[in-house]
Amino acid sequence: MDAGYLDWALADFSGYIAVDELYDGPFCVLSLVDNRTFKRLLYQVLDHDPDHQDITAFLRRFASALQEHGLTLRGVTTDGSPLYPEPLRAVFGDVPHQICEFHILKELTKAILRAVAKVRKQLAGRQPAVKRGRPATPAAKRAVRQRKRLRQKIADLFEHRYLFVQHDLTPGQRRTLQRVTRGLPQLRALRALMEEVYRLFDRRCRTDTALAKLAKLRQRVRRFKQVGKVLSKLQSPNLDKALTFLDDKLLPSTSNAVERGNRRHRKMQKTVYRVRTQEHIHDRIALDMLRDSQKGGRTKTTKTLHKARATQESLF
Protein backbone atom coordinates (compact mmCIF):
# COMPACT_ATOMS: atom_id res chain seq x y z
CA MET A 1 0.00 0.00 0.00
CA ASP A 2 2.89 2.40 0.68
CA ALA A 3 4.58 1.70 -2.66
CA GLY A 4 2.45 0.69 -5.63
CA TYR A 5 -0.76 2.24 -4.36
CA LEU A 6 0.83 5.61 -3.60
CA ASP A 7 2.37 5.68 -7.08
CA TRP A 8 -1.11 5.28 -8.53
CA ALA A 9 -2.83 7.70 -6.13
CA LEU A 10 -0.22 10.45 -6.46
CA ALA A 11 0.01 10.20 -10.24
CA ASP A 12 -2.66 12.91 -10.61
CA PHE A 13 -2.24 14.58 -7.22
CA SER A 14 -4.12 17.89 -7.14
CA GLY A 15 -2.06 19.49 -4.38
CA TYR A 16 -5.04 19.80 -2.00
CA ILE A 17 -5.83 17.35 0.79
CA ALA A 18 -8.46 16.82 3.47
CA VAL A 19 -7.59 15.27 6.84
CA ASP A 20 -10.00 13.87 9.41
CA GLU A 21 -10.29 11.32 12.19
CA LEU A 22 -12.94 8.64 12.63
CA TYR A 23 -13.70 6.99 15.98
CA ASP A 24 -14.72 3.35 15.88
CA GLY A 25 -15.15 1.99 19.39
CA PRO A 26 -11.76 2.15 21.17
CA PHE A 27 -9.95 2.78 17.88
CA CYS A 28 -9.34 5.91 15.84
CA VAL A 29 -8.76 5.97 12.07
CA LEU A 30 -6.74 8.86 10.69
CA SER A 31 -7.45 9.50 7.00
CA LEU A 32 -5.78 11.74 4.45
CA VAL A 33 -7.58 12.14 1.10
CA ASP A 34 -6.94 14.09 -2.08
CA ASN A 35 -9.65 16.73 -1.82
CA ARG A 36 -10.20 17.02 -5.58
CA THR A 37 -9.71 13.49 -6.94
CA PHE A 38 -11.30 11.89 -3.83
CA LYS A 39 -8.51 9.30 -3.56
CA ARG A 40 -7.49 8.12 -0.11
CA LEU A 41 -3.74 8.68 0.11
CA LEU A 42 -2.83 7.60 3.62
CA TYR A 43 -4.46 6.16 6.73
CA GLN A 44 -3.52 4.92 10.18
CA VAL A 45 -5.47 2.96 12.79
CA LEU A 46 -4.73 3.93 16.39
CA ASP A 47 -5.79 2.10 19.56
CA HIS A 48 -6.17 5.38 21.46
CA ASP A 49 -7.43 8.91 20.96
CA PRO A 50 -4.98 10.89 18.81
CA ASP A 51 -2.89 13.75 20.13
CA HIS A 52 -0.60 16.27 18.47
CA GLN A 53 2.30 13.81 18.35
CA ASP A 54 0.20 11.23 16.49
CA ILE A 55 -1.05 13.82 14.00
CA THR A 56 2.47 15.18 13.47
CA ALA A 57 3.91 11.71 12.81
CA PHE A 58 1.03 10.96 10.44
CA LEU A 59 1.58 14.17 8.48
CA ARG A 60 5.35 13.60 8.32
CA ARG A 61 4.70 10.27 6.61
CA PHE A 62 2.73 12.07 3.95
CA ALA A 63 5.35 14.83 3.63
CA SER A 64 7.99 12.17 3.01
CA ALA A 65 5.83 10.57 0.30
CA LEU A 66 5.37 13.96 -1.38
CA GLN A 67 9.12 14.57 -1.30
CA GLU A 68 9.84 11.17 -2.86
CA HIS A 69 7.41 11.90 -5.71
CA GLY A 70 8.56 15.49 -6.17
CA LEU A 71 5.17 17.00 -5.30
CA THR A 72 4.15 20.02 -3.23
CA LEU A 73 1.17 20.70 -1.03
CA ARG A 74 -0.92 23.78 -1.83
CA GLY A 75 -3.80 23.59 0.65
CA VAL A 76 -5.29 21.58 3.53
CA THR A 77 -8.94 21.30 4.61
CA THR A 78 -9.98 19.99 8.03
CA ASP A 79 -12.94 20.30 10.34
CA GLY A 80 -12.85 22.59 13.36
CA SER A 81 -10.91 20.14 15.53
CA PRO A 82 -7.98 21.64 17.52
CA LEU A 83 -5.86 18.57 16.66
CA TYR A 84 -4.60 19.89 13.32
CA PRO A 85 -3.46 23.55 13.35
CA GLU A 86 -0.23 23.06 15.32
CA PRO A 87 0.92 19.84 13.56
CA LEU A 88 0.14 21.39 10.16
CA ARG A 89 2.28 24.42 10.94
CA ALA A 90 5.07 22.20 12.26
CA VAL A 91 5.15 19.93 9.18
CA PHE A 92 4.01 22.11 6.25
CA GLY A 93 4.67 25.64 7.49
CA ASP A 94 2.45 28.37 6.01
CA VAL A 95 0.38 26.15 3.72
CA PRO A 96 -3.21 27.57 3.54
CA HIS A 97 -5.42 25.84 6.12
CA GLN A 98 -9.15 25.82 5.33
CA ILE A 99 -11.73 24.98 7.97
CA CYS A 100 -14.65 23.05 6.47
CA GLU A 101 -17.47 25.41 5.52
CA PHE A 102 -20.07 22.72 6.18
CA HIS A 103 -19.02 22.25 9.82
CA ILE A 104 -19.15 25.99 10.48
CA LEU A 105 -22.60 26.41 8.92
CA LYS A 106 -23.82 23.34 10.78
CA GLU A 107 -23.00 24.93 14.13
CA LEU A 108 -24.62 28.23 13.14
CA THR A 109 -27.81 26.61 11.86
CA LYS A 110 -28.08 24.62 15.10
CA ALA A 111 -27.82 27.88 17.04
CA ILE A 112 -30.54 29.48 14.89
CA LEU A 113 -32.88 26.52 15.38
CA ARG A 114 -32.24 26.57 19.14
CA ALA A 115 -33.21 30.25 19.16
CA VAL A 116 -36.47 29.48 17.32
CA ALA A 117 -37.20 26.67 19.79
CA LYS A 118 -36.60 29.09 22.67
CA VAL A 119 -39.14 31.53 21.21
CA ARG A 120 -41.68 28.72 20.88
CA LYS A 121 -41.12 27.86 24.52
CA GLN A 122 -41.65 31.50 25.53
CA LEU A 123 -44.88 31.64 23.53
CA ALA A 124 -46.09 28.47 25.22
CA GLY A 125 -45.48 30.09 28.61
CA ARG A 126 -47.62 33.08 27.62
CA GLN A 127 -50.73 30.97 27.01
CA PRO A 128 -53.49 32.02 29.43
CA ALA A 129 -55.04 29.43 31.69
CA VAL A 130 -58.60 28.52 30.76
CA LYS A 131 -61.16 26.48 32.61
CA ARG A 132 -62.70 23.34 31.26
CA GLY A 133 -65.97 23.53 29.44
CA ARG A 134 -67.62 26.20 27.31
CA PRO A 135 -66.45 29.75 28.16
CA ALA A 136 -69.26 31.77 29.66
CA THR A 137 -67.82 35.25 30.21
CA PRO A 138 -66.28 37.66 27.64
CA ALA A 139 -62.93 37.44 29.46
CA ALA A 140 -62.96 33.64 29.23
CA LYS A 141 -63.79 33.84 25.52
CA ARG A 142 -60.89 36.24 24.94
CA ALA A 143 -58.57 33.88 26.80
CA VAL A 144 -59.68 30.94 24.64
CA ARG A 145 -59.12 32.93 21.44
CA GLN A 146 -55.68 34.09 22.61
CA ARG A 147 -54.70 30.54 23.57
CA LYS A 148 -55.80 29.29 20.16
CA ARG A 149 -53.78 31.99 18.37
CA LEU A 150 -50.65 31.24 20.37
CA ARG A 151 -50.96 27.51 19.74
CA GLN A 152 -51.31 28.15 16.01
CA LYS A 153 -48.27 30.47 16.10
CA ILE A 154 -46.21 27.80 17.89
CA ALA A 155 -47.32 25.14 15.39
CA ASP A 156 -46.44 27.38 12.43
CA LEU A 157 -42.99 28.16 13.82
CA PHE A 158 -42.32 24.46 14.30
CA GLU A 159 -43.61 23.46 10.87
CA HIS A 160 -41.68 26.18 9.01
CA ARG A 161 -38.54 26.27 11.19
CA TYR A 162 -36.43 25.22 8.20
CA LEU A 163 -37.11 28.59 6.57
CA PHE A 164 -34.81 30.27 9.09
CA VAL A 165 -31.76 28.29 7.90
CA GLN A 166 -32.53 27.40 4.28
CA HIS A 167 -29.98 28.90 1.90
CA ASP A 168 -32.35 30.30 -0.75
CA LEU A 169 -36.04 31.09 -0.33
CA THR A 170 -38.69 31.31 -3.00
CA PRO A 171 -41.10 34.29 -3.00
CA GLY A 172 -43.80 32.04 -1.54
CA GLN A 173 -41.50 30.87 1.25
CA ARG A 174 -40.58 34.47 2.06
CA ARG A 175 -44.26 35.35 2.38
CA THR A 176 -44.73 32.38 4.68
CA LEU A 177 -41.76 33.48 6.78
CA GLN A 178 -43.17 37.00 7.06
CA ARG A 179 -46.51 35.56 8.20
CA VAL A 180 -45.15 33.22 10.89
CA THR A 181 -42.78 35.86 12.29
CA ARG A 182 -45.39 38.62 12.55
CA GLY A 183 -44.91 40.26 15.94
CA LEU A 184 -41.53 38.54 16.46
CA PRO A 185 -38.85 40.96 15.17
CA GLN A 186 -36.02 38.99 16.81
CA LEU A 187 -36.76 36.02 14.54
CA ARG A 188 -36.70 38.21 11.44
CA ALA A 189 -33.33 39.53 12.60
CA LEU A 190 -32.08 35.95 12.91
CA ARG A 191 -33.08 35.18 9.33
CA ALA A 192 -31.40 38.37 8.10
CA LEU A 193 -28.19 37.47 9.94
CA MET A 194 -28.26 33.96 8.50
CA GLU A 195 -28.48 35.40 4.99
CA GLU A 196 -25.46 37.60 5.75
CA VAL A 197 -23.52 34.54 6.87
CA TYR A 198 -24.31 32.75 3.61
CA ARG A 199 -23.09 35.78 1.65
CA LEU A 200 -19.70 35.50 3.36
CA PHE A 201 -18.98 32.29 1.44
CA ASP A 202 -19.62 33.77 -1.99
CA ARG A 203 -16.60 32.94 -4.17
CA ARG A 204 -17.02 36.19 -6.11
CA CYS A 205 -15.30 38.11 -3.29
CA ARG A 206 -11.85 37.80 -1.72
CA THR A 207 -10.95 36.70 1.79
CA ASP A 208 -10.12 40.23 2.95
CA THR A 209 -13.49 41.49 1.73
CA ALA A 210 -15.31 38.64 3.47
CA LEU A 211 -13.40 39.27 6.71
CA ALA A 212 -14.39 42.93 6.60
CA LYS A 213 -18.03 41.92 6.14
CA LEU A 214 -17.68 39.48 9.03
CA ALA A 215 -16.33 42.20 11.33
CA LYS A 216 -19.34 44.41 10.55
CA LEU A 217 -21.68 41.46 11.08
CA ARG A 218 -20.18 40.77 14.50
CA GLN A 219 -20.66 44.39 15.51
CA ARG A 220 -24.26 44.19 14.34
CA VAL A 221 -24.89 41.06 16.40
CA ARG A 222 -23.57 42.74 19.55
CA ARG A 223 -26.31 45.38 19.29
CA PHE A 224 -29.00 42.70 19.52
CA LYS A 225 -28.72 41.39 23.07
CA GLN A 226 -31.29 38.63 22.55
CA VAL A 227 -29.54 37.45 19.39
CA GLY A 228 -25.95 37.96 20.53
CA LYS A 229 -26.01 35.16 23.09
CA VAL A 230 -27.53 32.75 20.61
CA LEU A 231 -24.98 33.40 17.87
CA SER A 232 -21.88 33.12 20.03
CA LYS A 233 -20.50 30.75 17.37
CA LEU A 234 -20.25 33.77 15.10
CA GLN A 235 -17.33 34.98 17.23
CA SER A 236 -15.35 31.78 16.73
CA PRO A 237 -11.93 32.19 15.04
CA ASN A 238 -12.71 29.07 13.00
CA LEU A 239 -15.15 31.17 10.99
CA ASP A 240 -12.26 33.37 9.85
CA LYS A 241 -10.32 30.30 8.70
CA ALA A 242 -13.39 28.99 6.88
CA LEU A 243 -13.01 31.91 4.45
CA THR A 244 -9.48 30.99 3.34
CA PHE A 245 -10.74 29.28 0.17
CA LEU A 246 -11.91 32.59 -1.30
CA ASP A 247 -8.33 33.48 -2.32
CA ASP A 248 -7.75 30.15 -4.10
CA LYS A 249 -10.27 29.01 -6.70
CA LEU A 250 -8.97 25.43 -6.58
CA LEU A 251 -9.03 25.06 -2.77
CA PRO A 252 -12.19 23.11 -1.80
CA SER A 253 -14.25 24.78 0.89
CA THR A 254 -15.37 21.52 2.51
CA SER A 255 -13.78 18.25 3.59
CA ASN A 256 -16.40 16.19 1.78
CA ALA A 257 -13.74 13.98 0.19
CA VAL A 258 -12.61 12.52 3.51
CA GLU A 259 -16.11 12.58 5.01
CA ARG A 260 -17.34 10.43 2.13
CA GLY A 261 -14.76 7.79 3.00
CA ASN A 262 -15.79 7.95 6.66
CA ARG A 263 -19.44 7.43 5.77
CA ARG A 264 -18.53 4.47 3.60
CA HIS A 265 -16.48 2.99 6.46
CA ARG A 266 -19.36 3.33 8.93
CA LYS A 267 -21.75 1.68 6.49
CA MET A 268 -19.27 -1.12 5.91
CA GLN A 269 -18.89 -1.71 9.64
CA LYS A 270 -22.65 -2.13 9.99
CA THR A 271 -23.06 -4.60 7.13
CA VAL A 272 -19.83 -6.63 7.04
CA TYR A 273 -19.13 -7.63 10.62
CA ARG A 274 -19.61 -6.53 14.21
CA VAL A 275 -16.39 -7.72 15.86
CA ARG A 276 -13.82 -4.94 15.48
CA THR A 277 -10.10 -5.26 16.04
CA GLN A 278 -7.30 -2.94 15.06
CA GLU A 279 -5.90 -5.47 12.58
CA HIS A 280 -9.30 -6.09 10.95
CA ILE A 281 -10.02 -2.38 10.55
CA HIS A 282 -6.57 -1.86 9.04
CA ASP A 283 -7.02 -4.72 6.56
CA ARG A 284 -10.55 -3.70 5.60
CA ILE A 285 -9.47 -0.14 4.74
CA ALA A 286 -6.52 -1.54 2.75
CA LEU A 287 -8.91 -3.74 0.74
CA ASP A 288 -11.15 -0.75 0.12
CA MET A 289 -8.21 1.28 -1.19
CA LEU A 290 -7.06 -1.63 -3.37
CA ARG A 291 -10.54 -1.85 -4.82
CA ASP A 292 -10.44 1.86 -5.68
CA SER A 293 -7.13 1.44 -7.46
CA GLN A 294 -8.60 -1.34 -9.63
CA LYS A 295 -11.78 0.56 -10.46
CA GLY A 296 -10.56 1.60 -13.90
CA GLY A 297 -9.79 -1.99 -14.91
CA ARG A 298 -13.15 -3.26 -13.66
CA THR A 299 -15.02 -0.56 -15.57
CA LYS A 300 -13.14 -1.40 -18.77
CA THR A 301 -13.82 -5.13 -18.33
CA THR A 302 -17.52 -4.50 -17.72
CA LYS A 303 -17.84 -2.40 -20.87
CA THR A 304 -16.03 -5.05 -22.92
CA LEU A 305 -18.35 -7.80 -21.63
CA HIS A 306 -21.46 -5.71 -22.32
CA LYS A 307 -20.23 -4.97 -25.84
CA ALA A 308 -19.48 -8.64 -26.52
CA ARG A 309 -22.91 -9.67 -25.22
CA ALA A 310 -24.66 -7.07 -27.37
CA THR A 311 -22.72 -8.25 -30.43
CA GLN A 312 -23.63 -11.88 -29.73
CA GLU A 313 -27.33 -11.05 -29.27
CA SER A 314 -27.40 -9.11 -32.55
CA LEU A 315 -26.08 -12.18 -34.43
CA PHE A 316 -29.00 -14.27 -33.27
Side-chain angles (χ1 to χ4, degrees):
M1 299 304 299
D2 291 337
Y5 178 84
L6 270 180
D7 294 338
W8 169 80
L10 293 175
D12 56 349
F13 180 59
S14 66
Y16 301 94
I17 62 172
V19 190
D20 195 15
E21 76 280 358
L22 167 69
Y23 296 94
D24 189 358
F27 308 109
C28 178
V29 181
L30 301 178
S31 298
L32 192 150
V33 181
D34 189 316
N35 210 11
R36 296 193 65 86
T37 63
F38 285 64
K39 293 180 180 178
R40 191 194 297 262
L41 304 176
L42 207 64
Y43 76 99
Q44 184 176 355
V45 183
L46 303 175
D47 58 357
H48 58 275
D49 292 344
D51 54 19
H52 285 176
Q53 294 182 353
D54 297 321
I55 301 297
T56 301
F58 182 66
L59 293 177
R60 290 193 187 281
R61 284 178 53 197
F62 180 65
S64 300
L66 289 181
Q67 186 176 5
E68 292 177 1
H69 290 79
L71 301 172
T72 57
L73 184 65
R74 292 187 284 178
V76 183
T77 305
T78 67
D79 57 7
S81 173
L83 287 172
Y84 302 104
E86 292 185 11
L88 284 172
R89 283 194 297 267
V91 177
F92 296 111
D94 296 332
V95 172
H97 180 199
Q98 164 73 18
I99 299 297
C100 180
E101 172 189 350
F102 172 79
H103 288 81
I104 297 298
L105 292 178
K106 179 182 177 181
E107 294 296 327
L108 289 173
T109 53
K110 282 184 177 180
I112 294 291
L113 293 177
R114 282 197 298 267
V116 177
K118 185 178 179 180
V119 172
R120 293 202 310 269
K121 186 176 180 180
Q122 293 173 352
L123 292 176
R126 288 166 46 188
Q127 295 182 91
V130 296
K131 297 181 180 180
R132 297 180 61 183
R134 186 185 299 274
T137 63
K141 293 180 180 179
R142 285 196 301 270
V144 170
R145 289 195 298 267
Q146 183 181 2
R147 187 181 182 89
K148 184 177 181 180
R149 286 195 301 268
L150 288 175
R151 284 189 173 181
Q152 184 61 43
K153 174 74 74 173
I154 294 171
D156 289 340
L157 287 175
F158 179 78
E159 181 182 358
H160 302 288
R161 62 191 184 279
Y162 68 93
L163 296 178
F164 293 94
V165 295
Q166 185 171 306
H167 195 291
D168 297 314
L169 298 180
T170 64
Q173 290 174 336
R174 290 194 179 276
R175 289 192 295 269
T176 302
L177 186 63
Q178 290 291 322
R179 176 176 58 82
V180 300
T181 58
R182 187 175 294 116
L184 300 171
Q186 66 273 27
L187 292 185
R188 294 184 178 181
L190 283 178
R191 174 60 199 179
L193 290 173
M194 197 66 206
E195 290 180 349
E196 293 293 334
V197 170
Y198 283 131
R199 291 192 187 100
L200 293 175
F201 297 93
D202 190 344
R203 276 194 179 268
R204 290 176 294 181
C205 66
R206 308 289 290 180
T207 301
D208 293 339
T209 306
L211 290 176
K213 292 181 180 179
L214 177 59
K216 293 181 180 179
L217 182 60
R218 286 169 172 169
Q219 292 178 358
R220 181 183 174 187
V221 170
R222 293 192 188 99
R223 293 198 295 267
F224 297 96
K225 295 183 179 180
Q226 295 179 348
V227 177
K229 294 181 180 180
V230 174
L231 292 183
S232 58
K233 295 290 183 181
L234 202 62
Q235 310 296 334
S236 173
N238 284 341
L239 181 54
D240 299 47
K241 293 185 178 180
L243 303 173
T244 304
F245 74 101
L246 296 176
D247 283 341
D248 189 345
K249 294 183 179 180
L250 296 179
L251 177 61
S253 62
T254 67
S255 57
N256 184 45
V258 67
E259 293 290 348
R260 176 184 292 186
N262 291 343
R263 290 192 295 269
R264 185 168 59 184
H265 177 81
R266 293 189 185 98
K267 182 178 180 180
M268 173 188 64
Q269 290 291 69
K270 291 180 180 179
T271 57
V272 176
Y273 58 85
R274 294 183 178 272
V275 180
R276 296 173 174 87
T277 65
Q278 186 175 7
E279 182 180 1
H280 288 162
I281 294 175
H282 183 280
D283 294 343
R284 175 56 62 178
I285 296 176
L287 284 174
D288 197 33
M289 294 168 66
L290 184 63
R291 182 177 181 275
D292 286 342
S293 66
Q294 297 174 348
K295 181 179 179 180
R298 291 198 310 273
T299 303
K300 185 177 180 180
T301 301
T302 302
K303 290 183 178 179
T304 303
L305 291 175
H306 287 174
K307 185 178 180 180
R309 180 180 297 176
T311 303
Q312 186 177 6
E313 290 178 355
S314 64
L315 294 177
F316 292 98

